[in-house]
Amino acid sequence: MFRTHTCGELNTSTIGQTTTLAGWLAKSRDLGGLTFIDLRDRYGLTQLTFNMDTDAALCQQARGLSREDVLQVTGTVRERENKNLKIPTGEIEIIVTELKVLNHSITPPFTIEEETDGGEDLRMKYRYLDLRRNIVREKLELRHRLATETRNYLNDQKFIEVETPVLIKSTPEGARDFVVPSRMNQGQFYALPQSPQTFKQLLMVAGFDRYYQLVKCFRDEDLRADRQPEFTQIDCEMAFVEREDILNLFEGMVKHLFKTVKGIDIPELPRITYADAMRLYGSDKPDTRFGMEFVELNEFVAGSEFGVFNTALSEGGKIIGICAKDCASYTRKQLDELTDWVRDPKRGMSGLIYARVEADGSVKSSVDKFFDQEKLQAWKAVCNAQPGDLILILAGLTDKTRNALGGLRLEMGQRLDLRDKTKFSALWVIDFPLVEWNEEDNRWYAMHHPFTSPHPEDIHLLDSNPAAIRANAYDMVINGWEIGGGSIRIHDRDLQSRNFQLLGFTEAEAQEKFGFLLDAFQYGAPPHGGIAFGFDRLCSLFGGADSIRDFIAFPKNNSGRDVMIDAPGPIDEKQRKELGL
Amino acid sequence: MFRTHTCGELNTSTIGQTTTLAGWLAKSRDLGGLTFIDLRDRYGLTQLTFNMDTDAALCQQARGLSREDVLQVTGTVRERENKNLKIPTGEIEIIVTELKVLNHSITPPFTIEEETDGGEDLRMKYRYLDLRRNIVREKLELRHRLATETRNYLNDQKFIEVETPVLIKSTPEGARDFVVPSRMNQGQFYALPQSPQTFKQLLMVAGFDRYYQLVKCFRDEDLRADRQPEFTQIDCEMAFVEREDILNLFEGMVKHLFKTVKGIDIPELPRITYADAMRLYGSDKPDTRFGMEFVELNEFVAGSEFGVFNTALSEGGKIIGICAKDCASYTRKQLDELTDWVRDPKRGMSGLIYARVEADGSVKSSVDKFFDQEKLQAWKAVCNAQPGDLILILAGLTDKTRNALGGLRLEMGQRLDLRDKTKFSALWVIDFPLVEWNEEDNRWYAMHHPFTSPHPEDIHLLDSNPAAIRANAYDMVINGWEIGGGSIRIHDRDLQSRNFQLLGFTEAEAQEKFGFLLDAFQYGAPPHGGIAFGFDRLCSLFGGADSIRDFIAFPKNNSGRDVMIDAPGPIDEKQRKELGL
């Protein structure tokens, strides 16, 4: 060992001891007679002291060192005169008697401190230096703790972690697969798994009964901010269970993680149907850290001459309001901003209607021309708006209006500081639709995936009214993020075939792509279901961050490149030839 | 939940209880008035009893069931008349009152029992049925326990598990990479990692100090029996350590695994140099469950007229013997078999010399013509052969002879039942050569990999005598298998450059392939080293098996195919186009 202690463990209880430390020069201060160096390792910072009077040569050597040099020092632990009570080692210093430079550092491209001058691109290129920063390293330590506690919980529940293969078969349905050309089977390709879905179902057929895996998955999608081509799932499946069992067990897991990793007891997770989530929040992943629920105003706006509302009503659309607390004082400029926000082409609303509740209880709206005070008072009542509040209203076709108002609700939550990163609000969203119609491809698509079971009582609608079928599916949503999702699966071969048929697979296609699963279902497949959690997102949620990137040791940028190692890259002619490319 | 208990937990302490079980019909016996069914799940077997007298309809239903049907039954636990004390549930049975068939099974392609009639190919195609067999499932449960205890040990030692990327850069050196065409960067490719080597070294530069990962690695090699294109490593790296620290820490890990998983205390691991391992066992991964060490006889055979020995001597080769206990009685036929064995082209020896020690102490050899009793007695003495023993001798060029005799030693160990799968003999092999010369390519190759540090005292030989340089490398060998291997790494940029140079990389090539690592070494790289264990092999060792395949849930065959899902397979034209292939 190059050290007897780490830079994080010496304190007043070790005064007088001889110690050897190793680490990086974080900072040095030359005060003439004395030179101080902060030595940093993974565990902390320890102050080294060199004295010109007692050992001039050593002190001179220390003065010649640079930031990020790797040092090994031996010395004695002494109580400090100027104590720093902010860090555990802040009451002591090391009077150094030996100093060895284990490796030099040239000047790093950015400062390795909590606050750095390095931009995103530079920090990604030198990710190994970025990772030296405490706040980045701590994110990966948090990830490790979450992985450990996830395994602890699931192991205690008799789950077995089973590794499923990475080189599998391409079954394009949903996102694009990454593929791997096979040298031994030229012209053929493996695919990297988008999830181990079919394998975990086969494990249920195999009688494994409680499976999990922290597993890398891959999707060749155009990357938006904060999407990675490779990502990690907590992938789980259980046999002989019903929805209730899965919800309870994984609610327990998330509670365990909050308790052990953050010391927080979260309350029982409320359950809300997909229909209600859309109705109340305009989103299937509502941020429930704050209320501001939708209020449908259709019945309170009829009979006016206001065209926007009337069009919405005549098209079977909706007029929906939210109540923003204490926002009646919003200026013209602020309201114009919000109007521009909803008019943005990606939201596509024609305008924003507002109604302020004045201090005296009267309501003043942007549509006073069309609605008298009595009408407006009715809006106020149904929105439960108080003096000082601002009611914001959108009108139009239902889906579009809900979507836009859902966004506006989050925007208002942000502006009102209601989305506190240290607060956590978790819930289950249940009863998703089984399928959704795609106009472009003129076919039904599975809302989750083709293996999701319909609600037993909705199976009879398979032929007559697919849109009305509720899936036996569920998402766990925390703070507006879909953290996990799953379903009870189909375990009956015939039902699975009918579902494939509904999704436009011919018999032959279904057999070619998923024949192994259909076959397996013939040999005694038990009832089963499962769930998968986005582990990167879970980590960033626990870390109070918006981006997942810092919770991945070596992430890729938005072009799917690893700029540190410069990948992807060319391959040589010999490799190409061997692969038949 | 479909059950109140599992099929493994009911016993005499639960007699009289009402229970609901779910599982597979393993076996049924119709004894006229009574029908018995063994119900199986992951946890065990429980006997169900149906009585024609008390419930004829239910009993008739039970008689109509088939093997592997999935059942849910409710009934009462009763003490059995005919007890089976071999299984934990063998003293009770369930008097069934309700029976529900959750799913039917068609006749499986092989019987799902300990002893199966299914051949390898059939069992792989229906792997999900093979996995239902207890002895297969238990192998994966063992794997889970080993993974869990590995993590427990390393977590306790303050290691952090960090996930390194799967989509990296192709750096062909050693085995072939699997590559992944990039859609977003057409004409470029990712590679799948053969190991996370450079990433774990970058984590050391990043100050992570104790890293591990149970990680999938990939090699596109021609598959021999028992090689898989994807395999799992326990990958570890530490900073601020010397070889001694790593050997101690990972010796501790393996002891912990033997203790917690198998209840075995293994003794301290002996250390043997590569040179001694080759000299004594003709192998760098000696099976030390038995002795039968090599004895070099050069000085005892000089001056004869026996051509084989004289040629070996004149070519600078070796005459080496092993002593096979109690084998003096080997018949002509047995000795001929052994002779044929060493003459096999892949061993390439011209013949086998033997010498039997008779009951009276005299020696009778196949070369009596050339050596008198005095000479033979000297062989006997140096080989420590006793009456009844057989000395087997090979002669020729050193490497070839050692290799062949190493094989013969294992063969004799096998014949003498000295390779007991329930015994474990672990050791460290150290001081490997840094490089080996490849005649074909006319260049040096790294024996481990290009990042391995030379012994500090051998660095001066880098230019003058590379063959003589010892690497600061080590392998853990158990029962003749290389279970783990690693080294202290180079952490100095200049030394790394010189090593690349020795291995025939131009400056430009080194920079192109490993520039990110060379760059990283400039910013304060700490001394570091590590090790990686072959996890699949470790599992099979612990499981007392020769093959790794059964310890992998969904393995590939020798053509790299998954015959269950039928991968690899074709991709469609649209995918090809998008990838620019």
Side-chain angles (χ1 to χ4, degrees), chain A residues 132 158 163 190 232 523 560, chain B residues 42 132 163 190 232 523 560:
Chain A
R132 268 191 208 158
K158 295 208 192 316
E163 295 171 60
Y190 300 100
T232 303
Y523 294 101
Chain B
R42 176 185 143 199
R132 269 190 209 160
E163 294 172 61
Y190 300 100
T232 303
Y523 293 103

Side-chain angles (χ1 to χ4, degrees), chain B residues 210-227:
Chain B
R210 294 188 164 204
Y211 145 91
Y212 79 97
Q213 187 182 190
L214 269 75
V215 59
K216 274 278 176 74
C217 300
F218 306 86
R219 270 177 215 173
D220 186 11
E221 289 180 353
D222 294 321
L223 302 170
R224 298 193 305 247
D226 221 32
R227 266 223 198 133

Side-chain angles (χ1 to χ4, degrees), chain A residues 239-252:
Chain A
F240 300 119
V241 290
E242 288 156 308
R243 184 181 76 184
E244 194 60 25
D245 307 311
I246 295 185
L247 298 191
N248 288 336
L249 198 135
F250 290 97
E251 182 163 334

Side-chain angles (χ1 to χ4, degrees), chain B residues 402-426:
Chain B
R402 283 177 168 171
N403 179 52
L405 193 62
L408 184 62
R409 175 180 172 271
L410 293 181
E411 176 65 22
M412 292 307 297
Q414 200 73 46
R415 288 174 183 236
L416 294 171
D417 250 346
L418 300 171
R419 305 180 71 185
D420 179 349
K421 289 203 173 68
T422 66
K423 276 197 180 160
F424 299 94
S425 178

Side-chain angles (χ1 to χ4, degrees), chain A residues 160-180:
Chain A
I160 302 179
E161 185 163 16
V162 179
E163 295 171 60
T164 53
V166 177
L167 296 171
I168 64 166
K169 186 160 85 163
S170 187
T171 52
E173 170 71 14
R176 261 186 225 96
D177 284 326
F178 281 107
V179 298
V180 181

Side-chain angles (χ1 to χ4, degrees), chain A residues 438-470:
Chain A
N438 183 300
E439 287 293 345
E440 211 170 306
D441 298 354
N442 198 35
R443 54 163 278 201
W444 296 103
Y445 274 94
M447 190 132 175
H448 276 73
H449 53 56
F451 314 107
T452 304
S453 176
H455 257 286
E457 59 266 41
D458 292 352
I459 291 180
H460 68 281
L461 299 169
L462 258 178
D463 299 317
S464 56
N465 188 6
I469 302 172
R470 287 164 302 159

Side-chain angles (χ1 to χ4, degrees), chain B residues 526-547:
Chain B
H528 62 285
I531 192 166
F533 292 84
F535 187 59
D536 308 291
R537 174 58 71 200
L538 189 73
C539 292
S540 74
L541 175 80
F542 270 68
D546 287 324
S547 163

